Amino acid sequence: MKLEFRDVSVGYGRTTVVHDISLTVPSGGAASLMGHNGAGKTTLLRAAVGLLVPRSGRVLLDDEDVTRLRPSQRVKRGLGYVPQGQQCFPQMTTRENLRLVADGRARGPELVKEVLDTFPALTGLLDRRAGLLSGGQRQQLAIARTLVTEPRLLILDEPTEGIQPNVVNEIEQVIARLADRGDLTVLLVEQHVGFALRATDTYHVIESGRITSSGDGGAHAIDSVRAAMAV
């Protein structure tokens, strides 16, 4: 699924946070959006998923204008969103969190098995309440729950925030594998430059609500991106 922002400006109240941003994540591609706190990363994502309506410009999914569609309508079209904060239902077990999303889906049990194969660490935690999991385990659960919905576009907002380094490596490998599948588009918002560039094939740097740098991903781009973010 292709995601496109065309001259999007969006903000809160009277304050415009994102100014006239245009960028495209091609179908099957993996792109990272990087910038410091307050640069406008999450604001742009909220416009993508329908939590904020742009003041101007358009958001398109596979060339369909979805700018005014509700989040639920975008989810039905194949959008999956993992917000910041390792979100889950803390009083429910890991198994119950997954089943809650899988119930009613024709491939529900199969999908749960697939995400457990993707995140094998969760297999031994199925009967543990999600609120008792570590931050890294909850993040894996949050991504797994979204994958159960069979998205064609996966948007991840700061998946490494507050996560221990060994789990960051696991999540990086998962994102890279998902991106390599070819049938899933990935947009990753991240401050961890090395992680983001290794996991995606293109990058965009946002500062003060504007795209200031773009290019191909990969470890070779780390110095360029760090220089762009230092400005």
Side-chain angles (χ1 to χ4, degrees):
M1 171 179 280
K2 181 172 72 172
L3 169 65
E4 187 174 1
F5 299 96
R6 292 186 184 173
D7 302 316
V8 169
S9 294
V10 62
Y12 306 89
R14 297 182 178 181
T15 302
T16 300
V17 176
V18 167
H19 307 270
D20 299 317
I21 281 186
S22 294
L23 67 86
T24 299
V25 187
S27 180
S32 51
L33 181 66
M34 291 174 282
H36 299 295
N37 286 334
K41 304 185 303 296
T42 295
T43 301
L44 186 63
L45 287 198
R46 289 182 175 179
V49 302
L51 297 173
L52 288 174
V53 177
R55 298 176 177 186
S56 61
R58 296 189 294 162
V59 179
L60 296 93
L61 297 178
D62 277 347
D63 298 320
E64 177 190 1
D65 190 342
V66 298
T67 309
R68 303 270 169 195
L69 292 188
R70 296 188 300 275
S72 60
Q73 294 173 299
R74 304 185 197 201
V75 169
K76 289 179 180 178
R77 283 162 172 76
L79 187 151
Y81 176 47
V82 183
Q84 288 176 288
Q86 305 108 42
Q87 295 189 14
C88 58
F89 295 101
Q91 297 305 316
M92 299 174 67
T93 65
T94 298
R95 188 192 314 274
E96 290 168 339
N97 267 271
L98 294 172
R99 283 183 173 173
L100 183 66
V101 183
D103 282 351
R105 294 181 177 274
R107 296 182 59 240
E110 182 181 350
L111 290 167
V112 170
K113 182 180 182 303
E114 288 176 4
V115 299
L116 290 175
D117 288 342
T118 301
F119 292 104
L122 295 178
T123 303
L125 303 169
L126 289 173
D127 295 318
R128 185 175 299 182
R129 284 195 305 177
L132 299 178
L133 301 178
S134 69
Q137 292 164 345
R138 286 196 304 273
Q139 186 62 278
Q140 291 180 75
L141 177 57
I143 298 172
R145 290 175 68 243
T146 302
L147 291 175
V148 169
T149 68
E150 296 185 281
R152 294 189 296 132
L153 166 64
L154 179 64
I155 297 178
L156 299 155
D157 191 0
E158 302 274 13
T160 68
E161 183 181 34
I163 304 300
Q164 55 268 45
N166 63 313
V167 179
V168 168
N169 292 335
E170 292 177 17
I171 293 175
E172 177 185 328
Q173 292 170 18
V174 168
I175 293 173
R177 288 199 303 271
L178 292 172
D180 286 343
R181 282 181 7 187
D183 62 347
L184 179 66
T185 305
V186 176
L187 176 59
L188 169 67
V189 163
E190 190 50 73
Q191 291 191 64
H192 191 308
V193 172
F195 168 89
L197 291 174
R198 288 190 298 269
T200 58
D201 45 48
T202 61
Y203 74 84
H204 306 277
V205 175
I206 182 172
E207 293 294 338
S208 301
R210 302 179 189 276
I211 299 296
T212 58
S213 179
S214 297
D216 293 333
H220 66 276
I222 290 176
D223 289 342
S224 297
V225 171
R226 285 178 173 161
M229 291 177 62
V231 174

